[in-house]
Amino acid sequence: ATTLAAQGHDVYKKYSGPGGLKEEFEKTAKRHPLLTKLVSIGKTTRGQDIVAIKISAGARQLPDGLRPSVLYIGAQHAREWITPEMNRRLMHYLLDNYTRKREIRELVNTRELWILPVANPDGYDFTFEPGQRLWRKNLRDNNGDGQITPGDGVDLNRNLAYKWGYDNEGSSPDPSSETYRGPAPNSEPETKAIDGFIRKHKFE
């Protein structure tokens, strides 16, 4: 337990399961029905829902896109634990201070603030497994052997279609590389979900 605490396990939470980030976002949305709307933007390689929350006055009643919108997105790279935590705290800060701080109330009344806490849920959860803290990619089984080993996974941040495969410095065609861009543009379900979500909402 001491070792886990030293690694931040007493602060950082997995995405899935009881007490995970997904559950926390779901419960928070239920507590604030007038200010939030929780959606799934798609599924991961392993079939998990990728959740995002909209924070805006009348979030469920008003159509998306009525107000200028912004997106906060975390953990495309699985090991970047601070980004989901920042997103989790931002969600609570906005909702807890809606009635306390005028500037927060004005922001939530005039904008759509979308928070996508974990863009790579499978990979992020995998970093909580023993010996996997620095895993970066998603959990695509590149060689099809039924297990996830260092040669597996796609770097979701290199898989987006825009200028995909532009060179072999910013990304790699080698599946064993940390910056492996995948077999094709937007080949990953996580990337497809994020790309579709961004195209739909036209974040400013």
Side-chain angles (χ1 to χ4, degrees):
T2 307
T3 305
L4 288 176
Q7 292 174 352
H9 284 260
D10 57 341
V11 174
Y12 298 106
K13 302 177 176 188
K14 288 180 73 173
Y15 177 80
S16 62
L21 287 170
K22 181 172 177 279
E23 181 182 84
E24 183 172 346
F25 272 64
E26 290 167 346
K27 287 182 175 179
T28 302
K30 284 179 183 172
R31 283 199 308 271
H32 298 275
L34 300 179
L35 297 177
T36 66
K37 180 172 83 168
L38 192 80
V39 301
S40 169
I41 71 162
K43 301 276 190 182
T44 67
T45 302
R46 294 196 165 182
Q48 291 198 77
D49 281 307
I50 304 168
V51 299
I53 195 168
K54 173 187 173 184
I55 299 176
S56 189
R60 297 181 201 189
Q61 294 76 29
L62 299 174
D64 298 344
L66 203 63
R67 299 167 175 148
S69 58
V70 64
L71 174 64
Y72 301 91
I73 186 169
Q76 270 189 306
H77 291 146
R79 62 191 177 206
E80 293 171 0
W81 280 7
I82 193 65
T83 55
E85 179 62 15
M86 287 171 63
N87 281 328
R88 185 186 76 81
R89 293 182 187 211
L90 176 62
M91 171 183 68
H92 288 301
Y93 181 79
L94 292 169
L95 296 171
D96 292 347
N97 287 293
Y98 181 76
T99 56
R100 300 176 192 160
K101 296 188 176 184
R102 191 186 70 189
E103 64 270 26
I104 297 299
R105 188 161 55 253
E106 288 179 359
L107 190 65
V108 172
N109 285 347
T110 60
R111 301 288 187 274
E112 291 179 13
L113 302 126
W114 286 90
I115 299 174
L116 201 170
V118 180
N120 181 7
D122 296 345
Y124 176 74
D125 280 352
F126 193 55
T127 64
F128 286 80
E129 298 297 318
Q132 301 300 339
R133 175 63 189 88
L134 294 180
W135 186 266
R136 171 184 167 105
K137 301 184 278 185
N138 75 350
L139 294 192
R140 171 191 271 268
D141 183 4
N142 290 332
N143 59 11
D145 67 354
Q147 53 189 340
I148 299 299
T149 55
D152 290 320
V154 170
D155 181 343
L156 298 179
N157 205 31
R158 306 299 192 272
N159 185 241
L160 295 162
Y162 181 71
K163 293 195 176 182
W164 181 84
Y166 178 76
D167 61 33
N168 292 332
E169 293 176 29
S171 68
S172 174
D174 179 3
S176 67
S177 170
E178 288 280 84
T179 59
Y180 175 51
R181 59 182 170 251
N186 279 359
S187 61
E188 306 310 292
E190 298 91 347
T191 312
K192 284 188 180 78
I194 292 163
D195 189 51
F197 184 64
I198 290 172
R199 287 176 186 275
K200 178 182 175 184
H201 290 277
K202 299 180 174 66
F203 297 102
E204 295 183 18

